[in-house]
Amino acid sequence: MRHWKCFSLSQEHQKRTRIKTTTPTILCACVINPRRAVWYEVQNLKGTGSIMALAGVRVIELAGLAPAPFCGMILSDFGAKVIRVDRTKVAMTVDTQARGKQSIALNLKNPKGVAVLKRLCVQSDVVLEPYRKGVMEKMGLGPDDLLKENPRLIYARLTGYGQSGSYAKAAGHDINYLAMSGLLSMLGRSSEKPYAPLNLVADFAGGGLMCAFGIVLALLERSMSGQGQIIDASMVEGAAYVGSFMWKSRSLGLWNHPRGENLLDSGAPFYDTYRTSDGKYMAVGAIEPQFYQQLIRGLGLDDADLPAQMSVSDWPQLRETFIRVFATKTQAEWSQVFNGTDACVTPVLSLDEVLSHPHNKARGSFFKDSQGEVSPRPAPVLSRSPAEPCRSRDPFIGEHTRSVLKEYGFEQGQIDQLLSGGIVECNEAKARL
């Protein structure tokens, strides 16, 4: 059983204990057994004086594509120490969501590499793996194997179709999972084929985000039971759950018409986007009568000359009117017209424009990292322990191999043997360039 002790170390105490940090910091001792403790620095103060919500949580993330890296980034943003396990002999990673993570490169085709990974896993709090069903079991790293050695381990399995069912071992992507969830059938314009809204719904909302939610739930439950558990995160089910409103609102008549002809799927002219004179767009969401009236006034129209808002048969005519009027001004001009109103009309901002918008700027909703790239600030914002995302560049593959192995109790001689044998790779030199 693990026992955790966390406390602040002064600079003098750091010297005596030979634990080096640059500022007074918070350290945790993870006592695996009475004779051994693993010390590590919590991602903590960041100059704010507060400890982030997931400080002290160690995560082993098996390198994968979009959903799992996003899940790992969420955990890292909120204070967890996330170690991404990359494969050796790989020049570069396609993981663009490695913010705040460390990287260790392991040769998992060699049993010794698998043994190293197992040692990392059983000394951590969370394992996040994105492989198809059975891959981890073949390496002897399945949840049954690891939970025997660390009953407190949380083992998160993020896949498209889940760990059971006839599709459990099938390949797929966001569009496939979205199709299987039922939601894709509802997405698209009238008289057009269904379309996937990028790869947002299944990969990220139903996949990475829901998996991170499951991990946090399991961590909370473990604080009471002392036991870890397995998380079966299916992107099909995650996407469907995110879309629960679609099922629960069917009795309200919101989806009685064909795809693209309903209130919230671009069927209503007052819930759509419109092109402005400068080729940009405005988003309109004036559903409630009082908001709709402000929209009409802002457009300079007379309600008496228009069909009733909820006259579905007249929606095409009303849409043509809105198209004509919005095309008479620029996006900036329409934004000025509707600023300060409750017409529910906003500019459709590009990724390059969000940082400078006054509202986003006032809240710090987006930030630039050390490379000058713009990213959204982690959400939601916690009052006492907000996320403090790392602003430095993403790690190179194997950049932290030595330091991670040392942290997990490997001796220098063992590390040298692993390096010389091609079991691990270290790219510290590349990181210093």
Side-chain angles (χ1 to χ4, degrees), residues 10 22 29 189 213 231 294 304 311 315 418:
S10 66
T22 56
R189 293 280 183 175
F213 177 54
I231 298 169
Q294 294 194 45
S311 176
W315 279 356
L418 292 170

Side-chain angles (χ1 to χ4, degrees), residues 16 41 99 149 191 230 236 301 319 345 363-364:
R16 293 201 305 267
E41 182 179 349
R99 185 168 60 213
E149 298 198 32
S191 301
I230 303 163
V236 171
L301 298 172
R319 186 186 309 279
V345 179
R363 285 185 53 81

Side-chain angles (χ1 to χ4, degrees), residues 102-412:
Q102 295 184 348
S103 169
I104 179 173
L106 293 179
N107 181 0
L108 297 181
K109 294 181 179 179
N110 189 303
K112 292 182 179 178
V114 174
V116 171
L117 178 55
K118 185 173 185 179
R119 184 165 167 180
L120 300 182
C121 291
V122 298
Q123 292 185 36
S124 298
D125 298 286
V126 179
V127 170
L128 171 59
E129 65 97 354
Y131 302 143
R132 289 195 225 180
K133 176 181 172 64
V135 172
M136 292 292 278
E137 282 81 356
K138 287 181 180 178
M139 292 190 289
L141 298 174
D144 292 341
D145 300 301
L146 298 185
L147 283 164
K148 284 179 184 177
E149 298 198 32
N150 179 8
R152 291 173 56 84
L153 181 66
I154 293 163
Y155 197 112
R157 318 196 77 170
L158 177 53
T159 61
Y161 298 111
Q163 297 298 309
S164 59
S166 60
Y167 280 22
K169 294 185 178 182
H173 287 290
D174 174 278
I175 193 169
N176 307 116
Y177 313 139
L178 189 60
M180 289 290 290
S181 75
L183 296 179
L184 184 56
S185 69
M186 304 182 69
L187 302 175
R189 293 280 183 175
S190 175
S191 301
E192 295 183 7
K193 64 182 181 179
Y195 73 90
L198 306 179
N199 63 326
L200 292 173
V201 179
D203 274 0
F204 296 110
L209 184 59
M210 293 300 289
C211 186
F213 177 54
I215 289 170
V216 172
L217 290 178
L219 286 168
L220 176 62
E221 194 279 337
R222 190 182 71 174
S223 70
M224 297 178 283
S225 70
Q227 297 295 306
Q229 58 184 306
I230 303 163
I231 298 169
D232 182 359
S234 155
M235 286 180 245
V236 171
E237 294 162 2
Y241 191 44
V242 168
S244 293
F245 175 74
M246 309 308 161
W247 277 271
K248 305 294 282 185
S249 62
R250 294 175 76 182
S251 61
L252 300 178
L254 288 180
W255 316 110
N256 288 349
H257 299 284
R259 178 176 57 250
E261 298 179 15
N262 298 282
L263 181 68
L264 300 175
D265 63 0
S266 78
F270 46 84
Y271 200 85
D272 205 347
T273 58
Y274 291 93
R275 186 181 176 92
T276 57
S277 63
D278 55 346
K280 296 185 178 182
Y281 292 87
M282 298 296 290
V284 177
I287 299 175
E288 292 81 357
Q290 66 273 27
F291 302 154
Y292 179 76
Q293 289 303 316
Q294 294 194 45
L295 165 66
I296 298 304
R297 286 198 295 270
L299 292 175
L301 298 172
D302 187 342
D303 194 36
D305 298 331
L306 300 173
Q309 178 188 3
M310 291 300 174
S311 176
V312 176
S313 62
D314 291 316
W315 279 356
Q317 175 191 342
L318 189 58
R319 186 186 309 279
E320 290 302 317
T321 300
F322 289 174
I323 290 174
R324 174 177 52 80
V325 174
F326 270 108
T328 63
K329 297 181 187 294
T330 66
Q331 184 190 73
E333 289 170 334
W334 283 122
S335 295
Q336 187 63 37
V337 167
F338 288 107
N339 276 347
T341 75
D342 280 339
C344 303
V345 179
T346 50
V348 178
L349 301 177
S350 71
L351 299 188
D352 294 326
E353 294 172 324
V354 293
L355 184 67
S356 59
H357 188 277
H359 175 79
N360 294 338
K361 196 172 182 179
R363 285 185 53 81
S365 302
F366 298 84
F367 69 94
K368 283 187 177 181
D369 62 20
S370 62
Q371 310 298 301
E373 294 183 354
V374 177
S375 294
R377 179 178 65 174
V381 179
L382 306 183
S383 63
R384 287 191 302 101
S385 53
E388 290 288 338
C390 177
R391 293 175 184 255
S392 60
R393 59 161 177 77
D394 290 349
F396 295 117
I397 290 177
E399 179 177 345
H400 306 95
T401 297
R402 286 183 185 272
S403 59
V404 167
L405 291 176
K406 287 179 181 178
E407 178 184 313
Y408 278 78
F410 286 82
E411 302 294 336
Q412 186 59 53

